[in-house]
C-alpha cells in the first residue's frame, strides 16, 4: 500500500481544509510594497499617485509575501526587535468568474493585530497572530469601481492596504514574557479567493474507528455562507479511499444555514487506518449547488483510534506506540516567521528523517501547511493556543483565548494528525498583572476545557507546566528538565516514573538543553560532578537566567555539543526501559529567536535545537536518528570538531552513533576492533573506542553493518598536545568552508582563531568576538546561527562568518574586549 499512498497524499496536500476555500484561489505573493512604522492615515497610504512615486513619502520597499519585518532584527545583537505598526499595499486585478459572486481575502496568519482597507474604506480587522481569518471585500470593490476617474488613476486595479501591528499589549495572548518573538507582518500566505454568492464557509469531517478497524464512522457538519438568503441547496458528497478510488457518491437537498449543521453520516467497513507508519488519507469532495453556481471544497481525513491508557502507555489502533517527539516554533533564519512552503516542507521532512512520530506545536496555532505535512507523513500533533506565561488578563484577553481556541479547532479539526488540543503553556508564570490569582486561572482553564470538548468531543486536551491546574486537562506534562535547569540527567527516569504513577495521563514534553554548534569538550561531564542533586528537576528554579542561584548546567556548563549528546542519549535509552511511558518530546527541533536571551553564545537565540536555525544538523540530530530510525546510518561524533587535545599517548574516546548491529572503527589505517550495538550501553550504545591519537592529522573511518547493508563514515581530526595559557592575540584569515568554495558568488568565509603568547591555540576559549567589514561588501549575519552572527562566542577558540564582497575590495575585522583588533584584506 505504501507504494501508492504517499504520492497520492502529496498530491492532495493543496486540497486540505482549514477555512474551506479551494476554488478559484491565488496566492498574493508578489507586487507588494511595505513601510515599517505608522503613517498619518489610510489616505497617506493609498492616495492616487504613480506607483512608486518618490514624492509619495515615506519611501516604500518592494517585498514579497510571506513577509515579516522582524526577519533580521529578531536576532540583531545591537537592537531589541521592533514591535509596532507597519503597512503593506498592493493593487489587485480582480476578475470574479461568478455572477454575483463574492471576493475574499483569506489570511493564513498575520501578526498580531491587522486592519484591511480597500482604497480608503476599512473592510475588516483581526486580533491574533496565529489563526486564519477572511475578509469579504466584494462591496468595497464595487463601490471603488463606481468612480471611473479614480479607477483609471489606479490602472483599473483595486488598491488594497493592510496595517499590521505587533506592539506590546497586556490584553493580548501571548505574553511578551514568552520565550519567543511575537512577530509582525503578513508572515503567512494571503490568498485572493472567488466564491459564488452562496458558498461553503467550513465543513467538518468527524471520524471514529474502533481499535481493530472493523468499522469507520464518518459524520459531516456544514456551515454555509448564504449571502442571498436562499432557503435550500443541493450538496453532493464524494468519498475517495487512499489510492484515489471513489467509494461513495451521494446527492441530497439541504436547508442553507449559517450555523454548523450535520448533513451526512456514513459507515465504512474495514477502513484503512491512519497511523504513524502508514498515514492512510481518505479524501472528501463536497459540491454545494445553488442557483448562483457550484462551490467545490476538498478535505483529507483519516480513521484512527487513539488511547491514553490510565497510567500509560499510549496506543494507536490498539497497539502501543512510544511517542518520539520534538517541538516546533514558527521561525527560520533570514525570514523569521515568514517561512515559505518549501522551507516548511524541508523542516518537517528532516524531522521525519530523524524518526519523529510526534510533534508539539509551540506555543500557538501554526500554518495549515505544517498540519498537511504531518497528516501525509504520519506525525501526531499536539497543537495549542498561545495562552503562554504572564498570568491572566481581563475579559478582552479571555475572549481572545476563547476565540483562538474555537478557531484553532474549527480550522484544524479535520486533520487526523492532531490528537491533542493544548489549552496553555506555563500558566503558572506571573508577571503581566499586579494580581496573580490561581483560582481565576483554574476557572478559566476549566472554561477552556469545557469549550474544547464541546467543539470536539473526539480529542483530549493537554497543558504543560501548571501544577495547580494539572487535574483539569485530560493529559498533563509536568516540568522535568533533569541535567539542565536542575539536577543531573540520571534523575530523569525516577522523576518520570513518579509522575506516571501519580497522574492519570502523563506525557512528558520539554527536556533537553542548549548547545553552541561547533563547540566540543574533552570532559563534558565535568559540570555534572559539581551539581547538587536534591531531587528537584523543575526548571522554575533555573529557567533562562544565566545569573545567580544554585550551580546548574544551564548557568555553569559549557553548552557543548559533547554534553548535550550525552544528555539526549541518556533520555533515549531510559525511555526504552519504561513500558508505561506514553512518550516524550525534547525541546526543540530547531534553534529559534527569543527576545529574552541576549547573552546567549548566539545572542537572542534559544540554542536547544538539534539543528541550527537554518536547518544545519548538529551532532545531536544523529543521536536521535540512531535510536529512532531503521534505515542504516552511522555517524562518527565530531564532524565539526577539527582539533582535539590532550597529552601525548593519552587514550581519547571516539563515539559512533549508529542504528546498525555492529561497527568497526579504523584510525590511521589501523582497525580498533568491532563493537556490537546495545542501546543500554551508555554512551553511544556501546559503539565507542579508546583511541591514542598521533600529533597532527588523524583519519577516522567507521564501517557499520546491518544485515547485508554496509554504511560508512569518515572524518579527519587534528590532535594538539601543546598546553595553552591566557589568550594573547587573534588571527583572521580567509578559509574554505566545508562542502563549498570560498569566493563563490562573491562570498568569502573568514575565520578567527585565538592564541596564547606562545602561539598555542586556546581550544577551550569561549570569548565573545565581534566581526565587521569595511568596503562595499556586507556581513552575512543576523541569521541566528553560529556561523552567521557578527557577535558570537567562540567555539573551541575559533569562529567563522561569511561576507558578500560584491566583487570589490573589502577589509574584514574582528575584535574582542582586551585584545588587539585584527584585520584581513579581501
Amino acid at each position: 500500500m505504501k507504494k501508492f499512498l504517499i504520492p497520492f497524499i502529496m498530491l492532495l496536500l493543496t486540497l486540505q481544509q482549514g477555512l474551506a476555500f479551494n476554488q478559484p484561489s491565488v496566492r498574493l505573493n508578489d507586487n507588494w510594497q511595505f513601510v515599517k512604522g505608522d503613517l498619518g492615515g489610510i489616505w497617506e497610504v493609498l492616495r492616487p499617485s504613480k506607483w512608486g512615486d518618490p514624492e509619495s513619502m515615506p519611501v516604500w520597499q518592494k517585498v514579497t509575501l510571506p513577509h515579516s519585518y522582524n526577519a533580521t532584527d529578531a536576532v540583531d545583537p545591537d537592537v531589541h526587535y521592533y514591535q509596532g505598526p507597519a503597512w503593506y499595499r498592493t493593487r489587485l486585478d480582480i476578475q470574479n468568474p461568478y455572477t454575483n459572486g463574492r471576493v475574499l481575502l483569506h489570511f493564513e496568519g498575520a501578526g498580531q493585530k491587522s486592519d484591511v482597507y480597500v482604497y480608503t474604506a476599512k473592510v475588516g480587522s483581526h486580533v491574533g497572530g496565529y489563526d486564519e481569518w477572511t475578509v469579504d471585500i466584494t462591496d468595497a470593490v464595487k463601490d471603488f469601481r463606481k468612480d471611473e476617474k479614480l479607477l483609471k488613476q489606479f490602472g483599473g486595479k483595486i488598491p488594497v492596504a493592510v496595517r499590521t501591528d505587533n506592539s506590546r499589549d497586556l490584553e493580548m495572548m501571548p505574553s511578551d514574557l514568552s520565550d519567543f518573538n511575537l512577530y509582525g507582518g503578513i508572515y503567512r500566505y494571503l490568498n485572493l479567493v472567488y466564491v459564488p454568492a452562496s458558498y461553503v464557509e467550513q465543513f467538518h469531517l468527524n471520524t471514529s474507528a474502533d481499535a481493530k478497524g472493523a468499522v469507520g464512522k464518518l459524520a459531516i457538519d456544514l456551515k454555509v455562507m448564504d449571502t442571498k438568503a436562499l432557503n435550500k441547496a443541493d450538496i453532493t458528497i464524494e468519498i475517495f479511499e487512499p489510492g484515489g478510488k471513489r467509494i461513495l457518491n451521494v446527492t441530497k437537498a439541504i436547508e442553507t444555514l449559517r450555523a454548523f449543521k450535520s448533513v451526512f453520516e456514513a459507515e465504512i467497513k474495514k477502513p484503512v487506518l491512519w497511523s504513524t507508519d502508514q498515514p492512510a488519507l481518505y479524501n472528501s469532495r463536497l459540491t454545494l449547488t445553488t442557483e448562483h453556481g457550484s462551490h467545490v471544497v476538498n478535505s483529507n481525513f483519516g480513521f484512527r483510534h487513539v488511547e491514553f491508557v490510565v497510567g500509560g502507555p499510549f496506543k494507536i489502533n490498539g497497539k502501543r506506540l512510544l511517542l518520539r517527539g520534538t517541538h516546533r516554533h514558527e521561525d527560520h533564519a533570514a525570514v523569521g516567521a515568514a517561512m515559505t512552503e518549501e522551507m516548511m516542507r524541508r523542516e518537517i521532512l528532516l524531522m521525519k528523517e530523524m524518526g519523529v512520530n510526534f510533534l508539539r506545536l509551540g506555543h500557538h496555532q501554526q500554518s495549515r501547511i505544517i498540519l498537511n505535512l504531518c497528516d501525509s507523513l504520519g506525525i501526531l500533533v499536539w497543537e495549542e493556543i498561545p495562552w503562554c506565561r504572564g498570568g491572566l488578563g481581563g475579559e478582552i484577553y479571555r475572549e481572545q483565548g476563547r476565540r483562538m481556541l474555537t478557531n484553532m479547532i474549527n480550522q484544524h479539526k479535520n486533520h487526523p494528525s492532531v490528537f491533542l488540543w493544548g489549552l496553555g503553556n506555563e500558566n503558572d508564570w506571573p508577571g503581566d498583572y499586579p494580581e496573580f490569582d490561581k483560582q481565576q486561572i483554574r476557572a478559566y482553564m476549566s472554561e477552556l476545557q469545557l469549550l474544547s470538548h464541546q467543539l470536539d468531543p473526539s480529542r483530549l486536551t493537554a497543558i504543560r507546566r501548571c501544577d495547580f491546574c494539572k487535574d483539569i486537562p485530560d493529559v498533563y506534562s509536568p516540568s522535568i528538565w533533569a541535567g539542565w535547569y536542575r539536577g543531573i540527567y540520571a534523575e530523569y527516569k525516577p522523576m518520570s516514573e513518579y509522575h506516571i504513577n501519580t497522574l492519570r495521563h502523563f506525557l512528558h514534553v520539554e527536556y533537553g538543553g542548549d548547545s553552541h554548534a561547533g563547540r566540543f569538550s574533552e570532559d563534558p561531564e565535568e559540570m555534572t560532578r559539581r551539581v547538587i542533586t536534591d531531587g528537584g528537576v523543575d526548571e522554575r528554579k533555573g529557567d533562562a537566567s544565566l545569573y545567580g542561584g544554585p550551580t546548574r548546567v544551564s548557568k555553569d556548563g559549557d553548552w557543548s555539543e559533547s554534553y548535550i549528546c550525552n544528555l539526549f542519549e541518556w533520555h533515549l535509552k531510559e525511555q526504552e526501559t519504561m513500558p508505561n511511558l506514553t512518550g516524550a518530546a525534547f525541546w526543540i527541533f530547531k534553534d529559534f529567536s527569543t527576545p529574552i536571551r541576549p547573552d546567549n553564545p548566539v545572542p537572542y537565540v534559544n540554542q536547544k535545537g538539534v539543528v541550527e536555525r537554518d536547518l544545519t544538523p548538529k551532532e545531536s540530530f544523529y543521536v536521535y536518528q540512531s535510536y529512532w530510525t531503521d534505515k542504516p546510518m552511522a555517524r562518527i561524533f565530531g564532524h565539526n570538531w577539527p582539533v582535539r587535545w590532550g597529552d601525548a599517548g593519552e587514550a581519547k574516546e571516539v563515539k559512533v552513533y549508529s542504528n546498525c548491529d555492529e561497527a568497526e572503527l579504523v584510525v590511521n589505517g589501523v582497525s580498533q576492533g568491532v563493537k556490537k550495538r546495545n542501546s543500554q550501553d551508555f554512551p553511544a550504545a556501546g559503539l565507542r573506542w579508546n583511541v591514542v591519537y598521533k600529533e597532527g592529522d588523524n583519519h577516522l573511518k567507521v564501517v557499520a553493518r546491518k544485515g547485508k547493508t554496509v554504511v560508512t563514515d569518515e572524518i579527519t581530526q587534528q590532535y594538539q598536545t601543546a598546553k595553552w595559557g591566557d589568550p594573547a592575540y587573534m588571527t583572521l584569515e580567509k578559509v574554505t568552508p566545508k562542502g563549498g568554495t570560498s569566493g563563490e558568488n562573491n562570498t568569502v568565509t573568514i575565520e578567527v582563531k585565538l592564541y596564547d603568547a606562545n602561539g598555542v591555540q586556546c581550544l577551550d576559549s569561549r570569548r565573545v568576538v565581534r566581526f565587521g567589514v569595511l568596503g562595499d561588501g556586507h556581513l552575512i549575519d543576523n541569521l541566528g546561527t553560529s556561523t552567521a552572527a557578527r557577535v558570537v562566542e567562540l567555539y573551541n577558540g575559533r569562529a567563522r562568518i561569511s561576507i558578500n564582497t560584491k566583487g570589490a575590495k573589502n577589509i574584514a575585522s574582528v575584535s574582542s574586549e582586551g585584545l588587539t583588533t585584527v584585520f584581513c584584506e579581501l
Side-chain angles (χ1 to χ4, degrees), residues 676-693:
K676 300 286 186 179
R677 186 181 190 277
N678 174 3
S679 65
Q680 296 303 302
D681 188 355
F682 177 85
L687 301 180
R688 60 186 185 274
W689 293 258
N690 290 321
V691 175
V692 176
Y693 279 67

Side-chain angles (χ1 to χ4, degrees), residues 634-636 639 666 699-702 712-716 738:
R635 171 86 171 188
I636 300 174
H639 272 243
V666 179
H699 181 262
L700 288 73
K701 180 178 181 179
V702 66
T712 64
D713 187 38
E714 52 191 300
I715 63 172
T716 297
K738 189 175 181 179

Side-chain angles (χ1 to χ4, degrees), residues 426-438:
E426 298 178 1
N427 305 105
D428 57 358
W429 192 309
D432 281 344
Y433 313 100
E435 180 183 50
F436 185 76
D437 190 320
K438 293 183 180 180

Side-chain angles (χ1 to χ4, degrees), residues 103-151:
V103 181
L104 311 175
L105 291 179
H106 171 217
F107 291 79
E108 295 183 21
Q112 297 284 318
K113 301 176 183 177
S114 303
D115 299 313
V116 184
Y117 297 82
V118 171
Y119 190 43
T120 59
K122 186 175 180 178
V123 293
S125 298
H126 185 76
V127 176
Y130 311 109
D131 46 347
E132 301 184 22
W133 50 285
T134 298
V135 177
D136 188 327
I137 64 172
T138 311
D139 296 336
V141 170
K142 289 179 181 178
D143 290 341
F144 179 79
R145 282 175 167 165
K146 291 176 182 177
D147 191 329
E148 294 184 3
K149 181 179 178 181
L150 193 59
L151 184 63

Side-chain angles (χ1 to χ4, degrees), residues 61-76:
Q61 306 172 41
K62 293 182 178 180
V63 297
T64 59
L65 301 186
H67 176 267
S68 173
Y69 43 86
N70 303 120
T72 57
D73 71 356
V75 292
D76 189 315

